[in-house]
Amino acid sequence: MAEIVLKQVEKTYGNVTAVHPLDLHIRDGELTVFVGPSGCGKSTTLRMVAGLEDTSAGQILIGGKDVTRLEPKDRNIAMVFQNYALYPHKTVYENLAFALRMRGQERAQIEQRVQWAAQMLGMESLLQRKPRQLSGGQMQRVALGRALVREPDVFLLDEPLSNLDAKLRLRMRDEIARLHRALKTNMIYVTHDQVEAMTLGDRIVVMKDGRIQQVGAPLEVYDRP
Ligand code: ADP
Ligand code: ADP
């Protein structure tokens, strides 16, 4: 677990400002949702937290440590994408084990972590399959599992359910909420869907035109229907 502090974080591309200087304090163990229309800067902000994008200005602290200039691998952050980004030729087991192998973990420990993640996500029976033998929902489970095995301080999810049909989206949304309750890890979840934001978020950050418009609990941000 780690709190995240953004101080005057800004991102420009040439003369386009994608994210205006913003301040944000994300408390330990919360599920924070960034919501807003396409192009408002949600993804750019998330990618800066992940270290996949440099900040143009400002500072990012994770657990009190300045990570602004650190590589993604040195931030202990896991990110889940809309398009899953699985290794197509590896089994589910290998997809989950890969990052741990790269870190030189022992086989027994890797196996234990993979089994644990598979169990958390109810996919023990899928471990020998290749991604092409999986449904969209199963692929997204594997993507979540791959993030999970690494025991990240922070979990970042960028529109993770956008490629799923409505029914599956509901199921996976509950699954993510359950995962968050079980792990109590900091999660930042990006979506353009207000209903998703409202049902998932402990706190909601509403963005518009590269700025934070509002921050609060769901009922502070949205009126009751
Ligand atoms: P969101 O995630 O809310 O849809 P983004 O963070 O992806 O928004 O984009 C914010 C703004 O930054 C948009 O205007 C987008 O066009 C611009 N942008 C994002 N990435 C780049 C890039 N690599 N080069 C130039 N402009 C970009
Ligand atoms: P290596 O010999 O490359 O170190 P392992 O012995 O860890 O690999 O695993 C070999 C293959 O067996 C993996 O590709 C994986 O698909 C499968 N495997 C290993 N352990 C398990 C397990 N506990 N559950 C399911 N599949 C496993």
Side-chain angles (χ1 to χ4, degrees):
M1 273 206 278
E3 64 171 6
I4 304 171
V5 179
L6 276 63
K7 291 183 182 171
Q8 291 291 297
V9 168
E10 181 180 11
K11 182 70 185 182
T12 55
Y13 294 104
N15 52 15
V16 174
T17 303
V19 177
H20 293 275
L22 61 80
D23 290 296
L24 186 62
H25 186 162
I26 295 176
R27 287 176 242 147
D28 251 2
E30 279 194 337
L31 202 168
T32 302
V33 179
F34 291 175
V35 67
S38 177
C40 71
K42 309 181 292 294
S43 198
T44 302
T45 305
L46 199 70
R47 292 169 61 81
M48 288 193 286
V49 174
L52 297 172
E53 216 50 273
D54 284 333
T55 54
S56 303
Q59 237 185 356
I60 298 175
L61 306 170
I62 297 177
K65 183 174 160 197
D66 186 350
V67 301
T68 315
R69 300 279 158 241
L70 294 185
E71 299 284 310
K73 66 175 168 52
D74 298 319
R75 298 187 184 201
N76 199 21
I77 277 181
M79 188 148 162
V80 175
F81 302 91
Q82 177 177 345
N83 59 3
Y84 323 126
L86 303 180
Y87 303 111
H89 302 297
K90 294 184 194 293
T91 61
V92 168
Y93 184 94
E94 287 299 330
N95 265 280
L96 295 180
F98 188 72
L100 303 180
R101 279 192 208 280
M102 289 296 107
R103 281 200 235 157
Q105 285 198 13
E106 286 180 26
R107 182 184 293 199
Q109 204 184 352
I110 292 175
E111 168 146 5
Q112 193 192 1
R113 290 301 304 168
V114 171
Q115 290 294 349
W116 172 80
Q119 204 177 356
M120 283 293 288
L121 292 163
M123 56 178 196
E124 295 104 313
S125 65
L126 304 178
L127 287 173
Q128 298 310 329
R129 295 206 197 165
K130 297 279 179 67
R132 67 179 145 72
Q133 299 168 308
L134 301 173
S135 69
Q138 290 171 335
M139 279 196 261
Q140 196 50 288
R141 248 169 240 271
V142 179
L144 283 168
R146 211 169 47 172
L148 201 55
V149 289
R150 297 174 40 200
E151 299 180 84
D153 290 331
V154 181
F155 237 108
L156 306 178
L157 302 111
D158 193 355
E159 301 264 6
L161 309 183
S162 299
N163 280 343
L164 304 178
D165 64 48
K167 203 169 136 204
L168 207 50
R169 205 150 58 221
L170 276 182
R171 230 177 60 209
M172 290 302 291
R173 193 173 81 196
D174 292 344
E175 191 86 351
I176 287 169
R178 188 183 60 77
L179 203 59
H180 178 253
R181 283 195 301 273
L183 299 173
K184 299 188 180 65
T185 310
N186 242 335
M187 282 191 181
I188 306 179
Y189 188 103
V190 162
T191 182
H192 62 271
D193 181 337
Q194 296 194 355
V195 176
E196 214 168 272
M198 177 141 172
T199 46
L200 261 184
D202 294 320
R203 277 215 310 168
I204 296 180
V205 176
V206 182
M207 293 187 71
K208 195 183 172 195
D209 299 333
R211 299 176 202 274
I212 293 176
Q213 218 178 18
Q214 223 183 333
V215 180
L219 289 177
E220 294 167 353
V221 170
Y222 296 115
D223 292 332
R224 267 171 207 284

